[in-house]
């Protein structure tokens, strides 16, 4: 064992005594050399992101019967949907807590857009400008606290 190895081992043991518990074995020089090359980290992160981020923005594919692609954005309090439309469209927007149905598109085809979280339909607003239909919906707050229910003994 070299002088550096024995110094590192002594420091490792001192750290164990400070923490009051046994740590995993001190990495060998060969293992430490492997960790100096971090070029693989970028590739790994890129692959993980490619798998986790959908191909279409917001993960919403266009309805096969429609040529309209929806973009879905989330902020802290709102879900915003943008839909590029052609000039002949006369949209009728209907909102549920979990999805939007847009009727009156070209060829009278309806499009369903699934929302990433529940919204409050009654407070929603839609606007149309420069060929873009934008729908803004307030997110529905989820109460994660428990509600106590009395138990009736029979």
């Amino acid at each position: 064992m070299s002088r550096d190895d024995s110094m590192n081992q002594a420091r490792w043991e001192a750290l164990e005594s400070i923490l009051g518990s046994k740590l995993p074995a001190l990495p060998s020089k060969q293992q430490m050399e492997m960790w100096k090359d971090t070029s693989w980290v970028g590739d790994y992160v890129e692959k993980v992101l490619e798998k986790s981020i959908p191909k279409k923005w917001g993960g919403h594919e266009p309805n096969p019967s429609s040529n309209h692609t929806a973009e879905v954005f989330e902020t802290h309090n709102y879900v915003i949907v943008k839909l590029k439309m052609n000039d002949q469209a006369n949209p009728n927007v209907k909102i549920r807590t979990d999805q939007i149905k847009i009727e009156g598109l070209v060829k009278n085809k309806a499009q369903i857009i699934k929302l990433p979280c529940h919204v409050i339909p009654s407070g929603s607003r839609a606007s149309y400008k420069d060929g873009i239909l934008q729908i803004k919906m307030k997110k529905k707050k989820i109460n994660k606290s428990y509600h106590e229910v009395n138990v009736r003994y029979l």
Side-chain angles (χ1 to χ4, degrees):
M1 183 181 273
S2 72
R3 184 173 183 267
D4 288 339
D5 289 343
S6 61
M7 284 178 51
N8 286 339
Q9 186 63 37
R11 288 182 185 140
W12 196 256
E13 289 169 0
L15 184 59
E16 287 178 336
S17 68
I18 290 170
L19 295 174
S21 65
K22 189 80 173 145
L23 295 173
L26 184 63
S28 68
K29 270 189 174 181
Q30 185 181 12
Q31 290 170 327
M32 292 301 287
E33 287 298 318
M34 285 181 13
W35 287 104
K36 285 183 181 177
D37 177 24
T38 58
S39 61
W40 61 272
V41 174
D43 293 335
Y44 175 77
V45 170
E46 192 174 312
K47 286 178 186 175
V48 169
L49 289 175
E50 283 175 6
K51 289 180 182 178
S52 63
I53 297 174
K55 299 292 185 223
K56 294 283 182 186
W57 178 257
H60 298 279
E61 297 290 331
N63 187 332
S65 62
S66 171
N67 293 330
H68 303 92
T69 303
E71 295 182 44
V72 180
F73 305 88
E74 280 189 70
T75 66
H76 289 291
N77 298 314
Y78 293 94
V79 175
I80 300 167
V81 175
K82 288 186 177 184
L83 190 67
K84 187 170 177 69
M85 309 187 84
N86 43 24
D87 296 331
Q88 295 86 19
N90 185 15
N92 182 10
V93 179
K94 296 179 180 181
I95 302 174
R96 288 190 344 194
T97 58
D98 62 336
Q99 67 184 22
I100 300 172
K101 183 177 185 179
I102 302 174
E103 297 172 332
L105 301 173
V106 177
K107 299 178 187 174
N108 290 324
K109 301 287 183 181
Q111 181 170 356
I112 304 289
I113 302 166
K114 293 183 192 279
L115 299 173
C117 63
H118 285 173
V119 297
I120 303 170
S122 61
S124 302
R125 300 286 181 256
S127 61
Y128 181 80
K129 182 179 179 183
D130 298 328
I132 304 287
L133 174 66
Q134 179 174 306
I135 306 162
K136 184 176 181 180
M137 300 152 284
K138 189 163 179 70
K139 287 183 178 180
K140 190 173 191 178
K141 300 278 189 227
I142 297 174
N143 185 355
K144 292 188 177 185
S145 63
Y146 291 96
H147 177 76
E148 189 172 339
V149 176
N150 291 325
V151 177
R152 214 172 62 166
Y153 292 91
L154 303 174

